[in-house]
Amino acid sequence: MNTAVQEQSFGSKPEECRDTDHYLEEYIGGFVNKWDDLIDWDSRAASEGDFFIQKLKEHGAKRVLDVACGTGFHSVRLMEAGFDLVSADGSPEMLSKAFSNGRKRGHILRTIQSDWRWLNRDVHGRYDAIICLGNSFTHLFNEHDRRKTLAEFYSALTHDGLLILDQRNYDAILDLGYSSKHTYYYCGDDVSVYPEYVDHGLARFRYAFPDQSVFHLNMYPLRKNYVRRLMREVGFQQVETYGDFKETYRDAEPDFFIHCAQKSYVETDS
């Protein structure tokens, strides 16, 4: 990646930019530097509470790999909760920001730049849990990439490890149109986030900030049951899905789904 890039580029036809590797050109320095304004660490911590901390503790996890650490929000929270953390991301801009954010809060993050499709080449050892948060899995446009990534996650887990992966509620966006309560994940004030273009192969989101700067992300609109099926086909037998941190919900209501997939193998008669 050319870290000197100052502007995003999606070509002459942005809606046709559907390439897994393009995220590297989307997370430019100017956008990454505003990411914390978008999520607002304090507001985000208040909105999601201890959901992820409790899930990891319930599972008995100690060693955790944050594969989409972004600017470090969850890595820092989990470190402060006592977990042994390794923080990975495909974007060098995000990793740099995460490390800086950790230092400001008195932590030294162990950061690794890695493409998920070759995760085990770059990240060594096994982990009790892997978290892939922030709607990050949606950057994979190719089904082979999604399957390869889930297989890499599966391999990096201990025999009874836990994968926690979240996504936007694209089912509702595709079927009903976009509506966000702006309660979870994106909690910053005066930041406008909405899908500028949506079809069954692309959700192009527009991010506008108070200083009039505008950025975009091109993402694949994953359907909930499709992700659950892929997880099972890769080997995760038990997959629980929460809607905005709730166990029971109507499918159209949540802004985000959180999938908790267990690697532990359960013998069946069939």
Side-chain angles (χ1 to χ4, degrees):
M1 174 188 176
N2 178 6
T3 56
V5 173
Q6 298 299 315
E7 295 183 1
Q8 292 179 317
S9 174
F10 291 88
S12 59
K13 297 181 179 178
E15 292 81 10
E16 295 182 7
C17 184
R18 306 179 185 209
D19 178 12
T20 292
D21 294 316
H22 193 264
Y23 77 93
L24 286 168
E25 298 177 41
E26 295 173 24
Y27 289 108
I28 60 173
F31 192 20
V32 169
N33 286 334
K34 292 182 180 298
W35 198 256
D36 291 332
D37 295 333
L38 176 66
I39 65 173
D40 188 330
W41 284 38
D42 292 336
S43 296
R44 184 166 181 174
S47 73
E48 70 178 40
D50 293 333
F51 179 88
F52 297 112
I53 292 170
Q54 289 306 314
K55 281 294 169 192
L56 293 170
K57 286 185 174 179
E58 286 171 14
H59 195 76
K62 293 181 172 59
R63 194 159 188 248
V64 180
L65 174 63
D66 182 355
V67 293
C69 73
T71 58
F73 172 77
H74 285 106
S75 287
V76 169
R77 283 208 80 196
L78 294 180
M79 285 184 71
E80 292 177 344
F83 294 97
D84 180 11
L85 248 293
V86 172
S87 307
D89 203 284
S91 165
E93 297 281 2
M94 283 291 195
L95 285 173
S96 176
K97 188 68 172 179
F99 189 83
S100 175
N101 281 338
R103 285 290 299 269
K104 290 176 183 176
R105 291 162 175 80
H107 305 287
I108 301 296
L109 296 185
R110 288 178 289 169
T111 58
I112 302 173
Q113 183 181 353
S114 177
D115 185 309
W116 298 333
R117 294 165 292 184
W118 297 276
L119 183 74
N120 288 274
R121 177 193 64 189
D122 303 321
V123 180
H124 303 142
R126 295 291 177 265
Y127 295 82
D128 303 319
I130 290 175
I131 60 171
C132 180
L133 304 177
N135 193 43
S136 302
F137 195 66
T138 195
H139 283 299
L140 301 172
F141 276 89
N142 185 291
E143 178 160 330
H144 293 296
D145 291 341
R146 292 189 282 272
R147 289 182 181 275
K148 181 65 162 67
T149 292
L150 288 174
E152 290 287 315
F153 291 170
Y154 190 92
S155 177
L157 288 167
T158 55
H159 74 282
D160 61 348
L162 175 70
L163 168 64
I164 302 179
L165 182 151
D166 74 2
Q167 63 169 102
R168 273 194 178 276
N169 184 352
Y170 289 109
D171 291 84
I173 294 173
L174 289 167
D175 299 337
L176 304 172
Y178 181 67
S179 174
S180 173
K181 297 180 292 297
H182 210 63
T183 303
Y184 303 104
Y185 285 75
Y186 298 142
C187 302
D189 294 328
D190 302 320
V191 180
S192 170
V193 181
Y194 67 90
E196 196 171 72
Y197 175 89
V198 177
D199 64 30
H200 288 280
L202 176 70
R204 178 172 168 80
F205 271 77
R206 180 182 188 273
Y207 300 79
F209 295 87
D211 64 358
Q212 309 304 311
S213 60
V214 175
F215 301 91
H216 293 84
L217 290 178
N218 279 15
M219 298 174 283
Y220 184 87
L222 297 159
R223 287 192 177 272
K224 179 188 73 172
N225 288 336
Y226 168 77
V227 175
R228 288 170 54 85
R229 175 171 63 80
L230 285 186
M231 287 178 157
R232 290 196 176 99
E233 290 176 357
V234 166
F236 293 99
Q237 283 179 292
Q238 304 173 67
V239 182
E240 294 179 296
T241 300
Y242 298 81
D244 286 347
F245 313 107
K246 298 175 183 176
E247 194 167 0
T248 58
Y249 53 89
R250 293 180 179 177
D251 278 355
E253 291 178 346
D255 277 350
F256 278 79
F257 292 122
I258 302 112
H259 308 288
C260 297
Q262 297 187 43
K263 182 177 178 177
S264 55
Y265 180 68
V266 179
E267 291 189 61
T268 60
D269 295 331
S270 58

